[in-house]
Amino acid sequence: MPIVLDNPVAVRRVAMDLLARREHGRVELTRKLRSRGAADELIETALDRLTQEGLLSEARYLQAFVSYKARAGYGPLRIREELTQRGLFRGDIEQALRDSGIDWREQLQETWQRKFAGLLPNDARERAKQGRYLSYRGYPLELVGRLLRGALDD
């Protein structure tokens, strides 16, 4: 039997269950609670309280998301786009990317190494293939170009 989200206690309980699994952003948590039938005023009240108690933190969510995506081989452009689509503020996203301490050149190198075994492209077709893959993953074209020329450290 599904939980009825018609009171503050039920909304808080479901929100805390979601937060116990992983960090969520406010927009994402609102969407999930709304899809379960919670009223907007109950959602806002519950999320405000969770934020005050330190259980809901946009900064922590951003940090966890950036870290997770970077470990999965994604670059800053792709991560920025995904966070923007999730309704987070651009300034907060930029701050999280700066604060992450991730060396994106090193991250690019590792992603390329994993996918292409560190073999520089020997023709235009292979260069285009590697370039498309790395730019799709969210790495800046300028960095990708330098990597594929063998001049990433210049």
Side-chain angles (χ1 to χ4, degrees), residues 5 16-17 25 44 50 53 59 61 65-67 69 77 84-85 90 102 109 111 116 120 133 138 146-147 152:
L5 300 180
M16 287 183 64
D17 286 348
E44 287 305 309
L50 290 170
E53 295 168 359
Y61 169 68
F65 189 92
V66 169
S67 175
K69 286 297 192 173
L77 303 179
T84 301
Q85 289 175 358
R90 185 69 176 225
I102 296 169
Q109 181 95 36
T111 301
F116 299 105
L120 285 171
Y133 176 81
R146 287 188 9 223
L147 171 77
L152 188 61

Side-chain angles (χ1 to χ4, degrees), residues 9-28:
V9 173
V11 172
R12 179 181 170 84
R13 184 176 303 126
V14 171
M16 287 183 64
D17 286 348
L18 291 166
L19 287 169
R21 290 187 193 112
R22 70 168 176 82
E23 293 289 344
H24 285 72
R26 189 178 183 100
V27 172
E28 183 181 31

Side-chain angles (χ1 to χ4, degrees), residues 10 105 114 117 140:
R105 289 168 18 148
R114 240 187 344 261

Side-chain angles (χ1 to χ4, degrees), residues 16-70:
M16 287 183 64
D17 286 348
L18 291 166
L19 287 169
R21 290 187 193 112
R22 70 168 176 82
E23 293 289 344
H24 285 72
R26 189 178 183 100
V27 172
E28 183 181 31
L29 206 49
T30 299
R31 183 180 43 77
K32 287 184 176 186
L33 291 168
R34 194 177 287 144
S35 75
R36 287 171 167 80
D40 285 345
E41 54 276 359
L42 292 176
I43 293 171
E44 287 305 309
T45 303
L47 297 187
D48 286 345
R49 188 155 165 231
L50 290 170
T51 300
Q52 289 168 353
E53 295 168 359
L55 298 172
L56 173 62
S57 166
E58 208 83 335
R60 221 173 32 237
Y61 169 68
L62 283 163
Q63 180 185 22
F65 189 92
V66 169
S67 175
Y68 172 76
K69 286 297 192 173

